[in-house]
Amino acid sequence: MPVTLLWLKRDLRVEDHAALAAAARAADEAAPVLPLYVIEPELWAEPDRSGRHWDFLRESLQEARVAFAALGVPLVVRIGSVLEIFQALADTIGVAAIHAHEETGSGWTFARDDQVRAWARDRGIPLREHRQFGVLRGLKDRDGWAAHWERMMGAPKAEAPAVLPPLPGEIDPGTIPDRPPGLSADAPCPGRQPGGRAAGLDLLGSFLSRRGARYHQEMSSPLTAQQACSRLSAHLAYGTLSMREIVQAVRVERRRLADAPPAARGLWPAALNALDGRLHWHCHFIQKLESAPEIEWRNMHPGFDGMREDAFDAERFKAWTEGRTGFPMVDACMRMLVETGWINFRMRAMLTSFAAYHLWLHWREPALHLARLFTDYEPGIHYSQMQMQSGTTGVNTPRIYNPVKQGWDHDPDARFIRRWVPELARLEDPKLAHEPWRAPNAAPDYPAPIVDLTEAARFARSEIARVRRSDGYREAAGAIQRRLGSRRSGLKQTGGAKERAAAARRAATRDQMSFDL
């Protein structure tokens, strides 16, 4: 008896699951639904994968297995190549059709999905890929993209079936290993947030009822962001919650507040508006990678090719990864990230900016290091942001964050620094904790600054400016903006040159909004 395969990837839930709903509608007793998750050793051997990713996914997979059991079918887990496992199923029980969500992932997953499409096409097996985010496959330009996003987020959620037809015979569900084959040993993450849908729903509920009241005011400081941000980004990355259910929950609460007395609203309307906007920008950035997969490894603007690549300093990179640069705010953020798997957006931007400008490191290796550290690693957001904060997009104004100023702005009492850099914990004077080089004997175990902050920033500005003045730079930047840039600023392919240039500048400014979730 053939089966209808439900190929699960980063969509570990049964609620608002378009692929599951479609498979259930199409399947019958002659071709029941078989939910399948494949642990791919080659994927876990990729340089952007880490143990914290697997641990979050494993917990989510275990919980999803319970959810599918409640529908009357096992969530089958296999280890190996997707193509080989699909072929084995086709040879033994038969595959009538495959349903899956579209995935905008790394170059490896892009290639894997192309191979699966070719395999299914060659065997006459229908493969249906369903949208999960507000990302449009095959998009030619960004005009009208925001309207498409709104229509998808406003549509009714996909309804989960009450029960699924039983599968033929006895199918071994397979085991979920403690570690996937292919994954290298890496640093533990004792402070990692737990995976699974229940944890995601708890976060959504606590944000909308308590934690999010000052979200828009407290997202920038690492002292407050850990509680004030929604912390839903990892659940979106692994699909334990859907984007649509989060957007709709936020908007339901916003409508409820609109009917409440002004005194009862407090800061909530502004906080919910801020989150709603960042949910939109989440998909906006993923659309960039969907439309231009090469930005995972290639400068978005070709004018920057060769600017940093040959100047890579391995010792500087090592100090940055270990949180021993001699700049307390940088080191505190890196150490927190290593231990917890999360840091807020402003500090992510600062870490990247410091690596790219002050240490003059080409963004690719720092991108892989941060990808391994972020539990919520989402390739579509990650590589766009790495290039934006490194100044290689060609459409964004370079931002060189001063790490000392960022420390004073967001940790004025140096509480965060002293918590994560114990070598400075005994320095009660915030000035010394922020700038320990003022009294080097006070913190003998802490390294001296790895670079001269002023000189490094001056050099970076001059090099970036040199490229931006080069022949053909503006024309290439305009093409990038038309292909990948936001249209929410009113950018259209009409009007005079001045109007188009002004619209492009507004769009690029909007693109630099943070998207703390």
Side-chain angles (χ1 to χ4, degrees):
M1 181 185 294
V3 296
T4 300
L5 273 185
L6 174 64
W7 179 23
L8 297 169
K9 292 181 278 187
R10 294 194 293 143
D11 49 357
L12 299 178
R13 62 182 187 277
V14 300
E15 292 80 1
D16 194 27
H17 198 294
L20 169 60
R25 287 194 300 269
D28 53 30
E29 293 183 359
V33 176
L34 189 158
L36 173 69
Y37 185 87
V38 180
I39 300 168
E40 302 165 272
E42 285 190 14
L43 174 61
W44 287 102
E46 285 288 290
D48 59 347
R49 307 291 152 160
S50 69
R52 62 194 65 194
H53 300 157
W54 169 253
D55 291 338
F56 188 99
L57 188 149
R58 183 174 185 271
E59 291 164 359
S60 302
L61 200 54
Q62 290 170 331
E63 197 169 312
R65 178 166 265 184
V66 174
F68 277 100
L71 300 183
V73 295
L75 195 174
V76 175
V77 175
R78 294 290 184 264
I79 300 174
S81 157
V82 167
L83 289 179
E84 292 177 359
I85 289 165
F86 281 9
Q87 186 63 56
L89 288 170
D91 291 342
T92 54
I93 59 178
V95 175
I98 303 171
H99 287 266
H101 274 123
E102 294 176 348
E103 179 182 9
T104 304
S106 66
W108 192 94
T109 65
F110 268 80
R112 183 267 322 273
D113 288 352
D114 279 344
Q115 292 167 2
V116 170
R117 292 185 197 104
W119 176 89
R121 184 172 58 250
D122 291 346
R123 287 155 184 78
I125 298 174
L127 170 59
R128 307 283 186 251
E129 295 180 88
H130 306 267
R131 288 175 65 195
Q132 176 166 229
F133 292 141
V135 175
L136 296 173
R137 184 149 288 177
L139 189 67
K140 300 301 182 185
D141 63 50
R142 297 296 290 266
D143 289 344
W145 183 88
H148 282 288
W149 189 89
E150 286 293 342
R151 281 196 293 273
M152 181 178 181
M153 297 306 146
K157 290 177 284 190
E159 189 173 345
V163 67
L164 289 169
L167 289 163
E170 291 293 326
I171 295 180
D172 177 13
T175 60
I176 302 173
D178 291 337
R179 298 278 288 190
L183 180 62
S184 300
D186 59 0
C189 187
R192 174 187 58 81
Q193 66 184 100
R197 181 172 174 82
L201 290 173
D202 283 347
L203 286 172
L204 179 59
S206 65
F207 179 87
L208 294 177
S209 63
R210 304 187 313 278
R211 294 187 298 108
R214 301 175 66 86
Y215 167 68
H216 56 303
Q217 295 181 338
E218 296 182 342
M219 67 169 73
S220 294
S221 170
L223 286 168
T224 53
Q226 206 166 7
Q227 286 298 312
C229 288
S230 77
R231 304 302 307 277
L232 294 172
S233 50
H235 294 279
L236 284 168
Y238 295 97
T240 62
L241 301 181
S242 79
M243 171 63 76
R244 179 160 50 197
E245 68 180 312
I246 295 173
V247 170
Q248 291 187 4
V250 169
R251 292 180 176 182
V252 165
E253 182 62 15
R254 195 166 60 183
R255 287 193 295 270
R256 186 191 70 79
L257 285 168
D259 295 331
R265 298 176 198 163
L267 298 172
W268 276 107
L272 295 180
N273 285 341
L275 180 61
D276 189 283
R278 280 153 181 80
L279 292 169
H280 171 102
W281 286 91
H282 168 281
C283 297
H284 161 75
F285 281 103
I286 295 177
Q287 183 70 60
K288 291 176 184 280
L289 187 65
E290 175 68 34
S291 299
E294 68 276 7
I295 67 176
E296 177 187 348
W297 58 84
R298 184 182 301 163
N299 289 325
M300 196 177 294
H301 193 299
F304 293 101
D305 291 352
M307 183 180 70
R308 292 190 185 97
E309 289 89 326
D310 294 336
F312 194 87
D313 187 316
E315 288 301 314
R316 289 183 176 186
F317 177 65
K318 184 174 185 288
W320 179 77
T321 63
E322 294 176 349
R324 291 191 59 78
T325 67
F327 292 95
M329 197 63 173
V330 172
D331 295 342
C333 289
M334 184 62 79
R335 296 183 194 189
M336 176 184 169
L337 182 54
V338 169
E339 183 164 322
T340 70
W342 188 87
I343 192 77
N344 61 312
F345 172 79
R346 177 60 68 92
M347 298 301 107
R348 296 184 191 207
M350 182 197 68
L351 284 173
T352 305
S353 169
F354 183 80
Y357 295 118
H358 294 100
L359 302 185
W360 203 241
L361 300 174
H362 182 55
W363 56 267
R364 175 63 180 166
E365 285 302 320
L368 290 173
H369 178 72
L370 292 177
R372 292 188 292 268
L373 293 183
F374 293 154
T375 304
D376 59 5
Y377 168 51
E378 175 62 69
I381 294 174
H382 186 66
Y383 292 106
S384 291
Q385 281 294 316
M386 287 301 302
Q387 295 221 40
M388 183 182 298
Q389 305 304 336
S390 300
T392 56
T393 67
V395 296
N396 303 105
T397 303
R399 290 185 171 183
I400 302 179
Y401 288 86
N402 182 320
V404 178
K405 182 180 185 300
Q406 291 298 309
W408 282 112
D409 287 348
H410 301 295
D411 185 29
D413 297 327
R415 286 187 292 128
F416 177 76
I417 287 173
R418 284 192 285 261
R419 161 70 178 84
W420 290 104
V421 185
E423 304 97 305
L424 307 178
R426 304 176 75 175
L427 301 182
E428 296 182 3
D429 183 351
K431 182 176 286 295
L432 291 182
H434 281 287
E435 304 173 51
W437 50 86
R438 291 177 177 271
N441 294 332
D445 296 329
Y446 187 67
I450 196 170
V451 293
D452 182 296
L453 207 61
T454 303
E455 287 301 316
R458 182 180 294 118
F459 172 79
R461 288 190 186 94
S462 68
E463 289 297 296
I464 294 287
R466 177 182 59 79
V467 173
R468 291 168 71 91
R469 290 193 302 266
S470 62
D471 293 342
Y473 179 89
R474 290 189 178 184
E475 291 77 8
I480 294 166
Q481 180 61 47
R482 288 189 294 274
R483 184 184 181 197
L484 303 177
S486 167
R487 298 300 191 267
R488 296 193 71 175
S489 61
L491 177 64
K492 301 292 182 184
Q493 307 312 311
T494 59
K498 288 185 178 180
E499 289 79 4
R500 292 198 302 272
R505 286 194 296 272
R506 292 194 299 272
T509 299
R510 281 181 174 273
D511 261 8
Q512 298 203 63
M513 289 176 61
S514 63
F515 49 88
D516 301 82
L517 294 175

